[in-house]
Amino acid sequence: MAIDLTKADRTLVNEIIELGGEDILKCFQCGTCVADCPAATAEMPLRIKKLIHMIHLGLRDELLEEDSVWMCVTCTACEERCPRGVKPFEVCLAIRRWQAKEDPTYIPPALGEIFKTGHTQNVANVPELRKSLGLEEVPPTVAKFPELLKKFQEMLKCSKIVQEYGFMFGVG
Amino acid sequence: MPVFKYGFFLGCNIPAIRPDVEQAIRKTMPKLGVELVDVKGSACCPAFGTYPSADEYAALAINAWNISIAEEIGVDIMVECGSCYSSLKLGRDCLLRDEEKRKKVNEMLKVAGKKFEGKSDVRHIIDVLYNDVGTEKISRSINIKLDGIKVIAHSPCHMLRPSNVLGFDNPERPYMLRELIEALGAEVPRYSREFQCCGGAGGFKRRAHIEAVEYTKKKLDAIKEETDADLIVVSCITCLLHFDEIQKELTEKGKGNYSIPVFDYNQLLALCMGFDPKEVAAISIIPRDEIIERIIKS
């Protein structure tokens, strides 16, 4: 499909910079980031170089469709090796934040889980196993101290994401 | 007398899925002069696929929540999980560099009666073992030497990169885990894909499963074809779970026989110190009984 640059959105690049992709304008499209990216081996590959180009061109609708960015392994090889200091991994996170803002169906359900229990895994759910190893039945994390979990939740209620999408967190 | 004191940050996967790794760390570190205290009330780091992918300030606030607990105790944090290490260390760096973000995050923390000051650092357990304790002391601490045992060393990506913020080892040619294993008397064979990522973190495995399995298979094939390794040692809970799960999957799918036992470094260390395998190395998918027996008898 031909790209229609008359629809280019010049504000897109600033939105991504604002969300953490601050060095995105340094990219000169060499492709080092893609060369050793595990997720670039997928059939529908993550090509962070291409996504950065899309942002430079202001291709808003196309960027919103690119769920490949959620495949990132977070190994940060791209960030280590980028000769221009673009920090492609940070750009990856910034694109995800932008997508979650534009389309809340992108917001990972794990956010609600962490809000509810403090963890991505239910650490309070394996008391027998932990006891059999000679450990405390519930580990000394926020899972063990309800009053601290409450404070943790109060803190997160100050965040934009919980304020805007309270229903995802069982709030409001 | 302990010389070092750290807040042991547990994260989510270790206490819930592999608590035997938690026990191995709790047993071994004090024997090396590293006292561990609990980071009471700590939460998820948070993992990159969660808050950092949706709301930067919420993510930084959770980083700061965790670090502030260590600050209250007056210790640095020590962590095994690669993602926890990276998330906490990158978050801390960002908060120290950016005054405006630090101010905003501290306003959120204030509601919970907490404050981030940046006094407590975040250290990976390999950093603590290699740079605080040292290989000589580790060699002297063990009762069992791994003579004739061949161990693959796999360093987690998250303890290496981005090296300018969180690095302590060589980011492209890591050697610390290798030397820590050699300190136990084992041989650490080299192979062509030694520095390849395990492929287990983030969304790759979930969203492109076939290719992700194939990616890990390449590494496992290199280990099988180029070495006669008895076991794989990692120091990251994600690498540990991934190598264990993928080997089972590959074998079940008829792609070959993949059955190399996988250990966390402190589990191997705990066995060499004579701790009970039923407490420090009790949970695995690929059976480890045979190699544990061999280690204990050597």
Side-chain angles (χ1 to χ4, degrees):
Chain A
M1 197 184 76
I3 295 170
D4 183 2
L5 283 180
T6 58
K7 284 187 192 157
D9 180 349
R10 285 164 202 280
T11 61
L12 179 62
V13 72
N14 288 328
E15 289 173 40
I16 298 294
I17 288 171
E18 193 60 32
L19 289 167
E22 38 194 81
D23 297 298
I24 198 165
L25 290 171
K26 295 180 190 164
C27 177
F28 60 13
Q29 291 289 302
C30 71
T32 304
C33 50
V34 178
D36 202 22
C37 172
T41 65
E43 209 172 301
M44 302 282 279
L46 165 56
R47 296 214 168 105
I48 187 62
K49 164 192 135 141
K50 188 183 86 177
L51 303 187
I52 291 172
H53 199 186
M54 284 165 76
I55 297 162
H56 287 172
L57 293 175
L59 302 175
R60 208 178 178 93
D61 295 345
E62 288 81 354
L63 188 67
L64 194 57
E65 300 264 299
E66 273 288 349
D67 61 355
S68 65
V69 75
W70 294 86
M71 265 194 318
C72 171
V73 186
T74 75
C75 74
T76 53
C78 55
E79 190 157 326
E80 186 72 26
R81 292 165 195 161
C82 173
R84 297 281 294 155
V86 174
K87 304 197 189 86
F89 168 61
E90 296 292 336
V91 176
C92 236
L93 292 180
I95 297 172
R96 289 180 181 181
R97 288 169 195 147
W98 179 82
Q99 289 182 337
K101 238 173 105 177
E102 295 288 305
D103 175 359
T105 62
Y106 273 114
I107 298 173
L111 269 73
E113 195 57 35
I114 294 172
F115 182 84
K116 232 181 2 191
T117 67
H119 290 283
T120 57
Q121 303 285 344
N122 193 344
V123 302
N125 213 19
V126 285
E128 297 293 323
L129 174 65
R130 293 182 55 86
K131 202 176 158 192
S132 74
L133 302 169
L135 289 164
E136 267 187 282
E137 291 183 20
V138 178
T141 70
V142 77
K144 197 185 165 184
F145 305 102
E147 71 284 5
L148 288 176
L149 181 62
K150 217 178 143 217
K151 281 187 182 176
F152 178 74
Q153 290 169 341
E154 290 303 319
M155 174 187 83
L156 281 178
K157 280 183 197 166
C158 303
S159 70
K160 248 191 186 154
I161 196 112
V162 178
Q163 281 171 2
E164 263 176 55
Y165 302 104
F167 61 92
M168 288 186 190
F169 302 85
V171 177
Chain B
M1 274 295 281
V3 188
F4 301 99
K5 190 172 168 182
Y6 285 99
F8 179 24
F9 184 84
L10 294 173
C12 304
N13 285 336
I14 292 179
I17 306 177
R18 292 298 174 93
D20 56 343
V21 173
E22 178 184 334
Q23 187 59 297
I25 293 169
R26 289 188 187 279
K27 295 267 186 198
T28 50
M29 298 309 279
K31 276 200 80 176
L32 297 169
V34 180
E35 185 189 343
L36 299 180
V37 292
D38 291 328
V39 186
K40 278 185 190 159
S42 62
C44 174
C45 50
F48 290 122
T50 67
Y51 284 89
S53 294
D55 185 325
E56 191 187 11
Y57 282 101
L60 288 171
I62 300 175
N63 284 148
W65 164 279
N66 287 319
I67 294 169
S68 75
I69 302 168
E71 290 186 358
E72 286 162 24
I73 313 168
V75 290
D76 288 343
I77 282 175
M78 185 198 82
V79 54
E80 188 262 10
C81 171
S83 325
C84 295
Y85 172 67
S86 184
S87 172
L88 290 168
K89 191 98 170 176
L90 292 178
R92 176 178 182 270
D93 177 68
C94 176
L95 288 167
L96 287 178
R97 271 189 294 112
D98 194 320
E99 203 185 330
E100 199 186 321
K101 283 181 183 165
R102 188 166 70 241
K103 229 173 113 184
K104 271 197 183 171
V105 162
N106 265 328
E107 277 166 25
M108 293 171 72
L109 253 65
K110 207 174 166 188
V111 177
K114 295 202 176 290
K115 194 178 176 208
F116 171 86
E117 292 182 273
K119 287 186 298 191
S120 290
D121 199 358
V122 180
R123 306 272 306 273
H124 191 266
I125 193 165
I126 293 301
D127 184 11
V128 173
L129 284 165
Y130 192 88
N131 291 313
D132 287 0
V133 178
T135 50
E136 274 178 38
K137 191 166 181 182
I138 290 171
S139 291
R140 285 199 307 270
S141 76
I142 57 173
N143 316 321
I144 297 169
K145 246 186 119 202
L146 299 177
D147 279 329
I149 292 188
K150 290 178 182 155
V151 179
I152 293 294
H154 174 81
S155 299
C157 297
H158 291 111
M159 81 170 214
L160 301 171
R161 304 181 292 253
S163 59
N164 61 337
V165 180
L166 58 72
F168 53 87
D169 200 341
N170 182 322
E172 300 289 359
R173 293 287 180 272
Y175 58 89
M176 290 183 183
L177 180 59
R178 155 182 294 277
E179 289 186 19
L180 287 168
I181 298 167
E182 285 169 350
L184 307 177
E187 195 187 313
V188 186
R190 294 205 178 271
Y191 66 107
S192 58
R193 288 183 180 269
E194 185 175 343
F195 306 113
Q196 183 193 308
C197 161
C198 77
F204 188 32
K205 190 165 61 160
R206 218 170 30 250
R207 289 169 182 261
H209 192 73
I210 294 167
E211 298 96 315
V213 171
E214 200 54 40
Y215 180 79
T216 308
K217 181 175 178 290
K218 282 186 185 146
K219 184 166 176 109
L220 291 166
D221 284 343
I223 294 173
K224 278 176 58 177
E225 284 160 20
E226 300 166 29
T227 76
D228 48 357
D230 296 299
L231 60 136
I232 298 171
V233 161
V234 302
S235 188
C236 165
I237 194 67
T238 304
C239 301
L240 178 71
L241 291 168
H242 188 66
F243 281 131
D244 224 6
E245 285 163 8
I246 294 297
Q247 288 194 85
K248 180 178 180 245
E249 185 176 332
L250 284 168
T251 307
E252 279 177 359
K253 284 188 174 156
K255 303 250 174 166
N257 173 31
Y258 295 85
S259 55
I260 312 167
V262 194
F263 291 81
D264 167 74
Y265 179 76
N266 282 70
Q267 293 186 303
L268 192 61
L269 175 63
L271 293 174
C272 292
M273 285 180 169
F275 288 111
D276 185 357
K278 287 193 194 74
E279 289 192 344
V280 297
I283 311 161
S284 74
I285 299 170
I286 303 298
R288 300 190 290 198
D289 307 342
E290 222 170 280
I291 188 69
I292 289 175
E293 186 97 343
R294 220 179 110 196
I295 290 169
I296 290 173
K297 283 189 178 153
S298 73

